[in-house]
Amino acid sequence: MGFYDRFDSVRKEYEKFKLEKKRYSAYSSTEFLQSIKGLLEAYEGEEYTVNNDMINCLKFSISPLDSSSLSLKLEIEKQYDDFFMREEDYFILLPSRISKGIKLSKFQQNMEVTYINNFFRQLVEYRYANKLTKLDTDSFADFFNKYLDENKDDIEIYQKTKNRYLELYLEHLKEENIKAGFNVDKYYLINNIKNFINESYDAHLDIFCDVNEAVEGWYSDKDHAYLDYYRTIGLKDNDNIVFEIKEFSYKAEDEIDAYRFNFYYDGSKCVDRDINVYKLKSKMKDLIQKYPKLNKYFFVLDEKYRELLKDNFGIVDSEKIKKLVGKSF
């Protein structure tokens, strides 16, 4: 047999197996939903609900019954080439197509979620071995129960891993929420930082603020121009800038401002005045390296802020935060 004869033979065999894979990946809506709902509930450890476009049988959405749950969801929209068996409501869903419909929560992004693909691959193997182009209820129940029993250790490991990732994620959210509330007038804070450095290091830093950039643009109707103003605020050691950040400073408030290119902004107003203390610290890495005691300054601010949260049941107004930032540590 020549090369092309062997090539054609292999290709025909490959096409045959592709056809077989589709034949044993055919499901009725009832079978499929029964399979995936039971599987998700076993692994995720909670009840799931099914939303099905029963009119055209074109879309499935399977999600936790508890709307506040963070467990994964599955959304599958059947495509034209999914329809292989046209009798009744049978359709084709290959394991790889099913796994593509998984919608992971943020906390699961680094987890290996392979159990859905593995289940349907083994189901295809089972159907192929038993020549089940159509699943009857008893055959499916036997396979499903046996599969869960054989994979109970895998289910336990998955649930423990999931709970660990969820716990870490919730702790992260809690920490993010705590940090998100520590906001203060940036000029007030930077001025206090300047005073701290000057006192701690016998330095002579000064705070500066320059309106040094204007960006012009056009409104969506293209008939009216506007100017957005930005300014730089920071700390100088004589003429040497040791720290700076750029802020969005002013946007036109009325038609006269918006439509005049010669509008002059004097820097007296600012739409970007507050800053998060933790974000400011992250921008001051070079300054902290130059003045290491500043790291202790932020550490104490963090401690005092968390104490303030406890004393005020997690709700702290801006005046209390301002007083906290204004204290000498």
Side-chain angles (χ1 to χ4, degrees):
M1 183 183 290
F3 171 79
Y4 281 105
D5 290 331
R6 292 199 303 271
F7 178 81
D8 289 338
S9 175
V10 170
R11 184 174 60 184
K12 288 177 182 177
E13 190 73 7
Y14 173 70
E15 292 299 327
K16 176 186 174 182
F17 274 104
K18 281 179 64 178
L19 193 65
E20 291 288 273
K21 183 170 68 169
K22 284 189 173 184
R23 189 180 299 277
Y24 293 108
S25 296
Y27 303 92
S28 71
S29 296
T30 302
E31 289 169 352
F32 176 76
L33 295 177
Q34 182 184 10
S35 304
I36 194 65
K37 183 174 181 291
L39 183 68
L40 290 173
E41 289 180 339
Y43 271 83
E44 300 299 326
E46 58 184 293
E47 288 188 75
Y48 270 70
T49 185
V50 175
N51 298 309
N52 183 17
D53 176 6
M54 293 302 292
I55 298 176
N56 300 307
C57 290
L58 291 176
K59 188 179 293 185
F60 299 109
S61 174
I62 305 175
S63 56
L65 185 61
D66 180 1
S67 59
S68 64
S69 172
L70 295 177
S71 293
L72 66 81
K73 301 176 183 177
L74 193 73
E75 296 178 3
I76 297 177
E77 187 168 355
K78 291 184 287 180
Q79 300 173 353
Y80 177 77
D81 60 0
D82 290 327
F83 291 88
F84 175 71
M85 303 179 71
R86 299 183 181 279
E87 51 203 276
E88 301 174 4
D89 68 339
Y90 272 70
F91 59 91
I92 303 298
L93 273 177
L94 303 178
S96 58
R97 280 271 291 114
I98 297 170
S99 62
K100 287 178 182 178
I102 297 173
K103 307 297 180 184
L104 295 177
S105 296
K106 287 184 178 180
F107 83 92
Q108 291 176 302
Q109 296 300 319
N110 294 322
M111 290 178 59
E112 285 192 31
V113 183
T114 59
Y115 71 84
I116 295 176
N117 185 272
N118 293 340
F119 172 81
F120 281 99
R121 283 175 64 93
Q122 290 193 39
L123 180 55
V124 171
E125 294 280 3
Y126 167 77
R127 292 175 64 179
Y128 179 75
N130 292 278
K131 304 305 177 188
L132 298 174
T133 55
K134 291 186 179 180
L135 275 174
D136 59 80
T137 303
D138 291 338
S139 295
F140 171 72
D142 289 343
F143 171 81
F144 186 80
N145 293 330
K146 184 179 179 181
Y147 182 88
L148 293 187
D149 184 60
E150 291 177 348
N151 288 275
K152 57 187 177 183
D153 291 340
D154 182 59
I155 293 173
E156 183 179 357
I157 291 170
Y158 175 83
Q159 291 181 348
K160 286 181 178 179
T161 302
K162 173 188 170 182
N163 290 336
R164 186 171 70 251
Y165 273 91
L166 178 58
E167 185 178 340
L168 291 172
Y169 177 70
L170 293 176
E171 284 295 321
H172 171 73
L173 282 185
K174 181 180 177 182
E175 181 66 13
E176 288 296 302
N177 287 333
I178 288 173
K179 290 183 174 181
F182 200 6
N183 301 306
V184 70
D185 183 293
K186 67 166 67 70
Y187 308 98
Y188 183 75
L189 177 57
I190 292 175
N191 189 62
N192 283 318
I193 290 172
K194 176 205 72 174
N195 293 338
F196 175 82
I197 293 174
N198 287 344
E199 292 170 7
S200 301
Y201 289 93
D202 192 26
H204 302 283
L205 302 186
D206 291 311
I207 192 170
F208 73 93
C209 177
D210 298 327
V211 180
N212 58 5
E213 187 173 353
V215 178
E216 65 183 57
W218 293 88
Y219 284 102
S220 57
D221 58 15
K222 301 295 183 182
D223 290 332
H224 304 295
Y226 67 87
L227 287 177
D228 286 344
Y229 289 87
Y230 294 80
R231 62 181 173 184
T232 302
I233 180 174
L235 295 170
K236 284 184 177 180
D237 184 359
N238 294 318
D239 291 330
N240 298 318
I241 295 176
V242 295
F243 170 73
E244 62 180 342
I245 52 174
K246 190 174 78 169
E247 63 179 2
F248 177 48
S249 180
Y250 180 80
K251 187 175 183 65
E253 295 179 346
D254 55 45
E255 292 185 2
I256 295 176
D257 291 354
Y259 305 158
R260 284 195 319 195
F261 271 111
N262 60 349
F263 172 74
Y264 172 72
Y265 170 57
D266 62 6
S268 60
K269 298 179 181 179
C270 181
V271 296
D272 184 29
R273 194 165 190 95
D274 283 356
I275 195 167
N276 184 271
V277 174
Y278 298 99
K279 288 184 179 178
L280 181 65
K281 180 188 175 183
S282 69
K283 295 176 182 293
M284 286 187 162
K285 291 179 180 178
D286 292 340
L287 195 66
I288 291 173
Q289 187 173 3
K290 186 173 182 178
Y291 302 107
K293 292 180 183 179
L294 190 55
N295 200 43
K296 177 67 175 176
Y297 174 86
F298 279 110
F299 177 80
V300 175
L301 271 185
D302 175 71
E303 282 190 326
K304 298 297 181 183
Y305 170 63
R306 290 172 192 269
E307 289 175 10
L308 198 59
L309 284 176
K310 290 180 183 178
D311 295 340
N312 291 271
F313 306 102
I315 302 174
V316 184
D317 62 41
S318 58
E319 284 302 314
K320 288 180 180 178
I321 290 179
K322 185 175 180 180
K323 287 180 181 178
L324 170 65
V325 173
K327 289 181 179 179
S328 303
F329 300 122

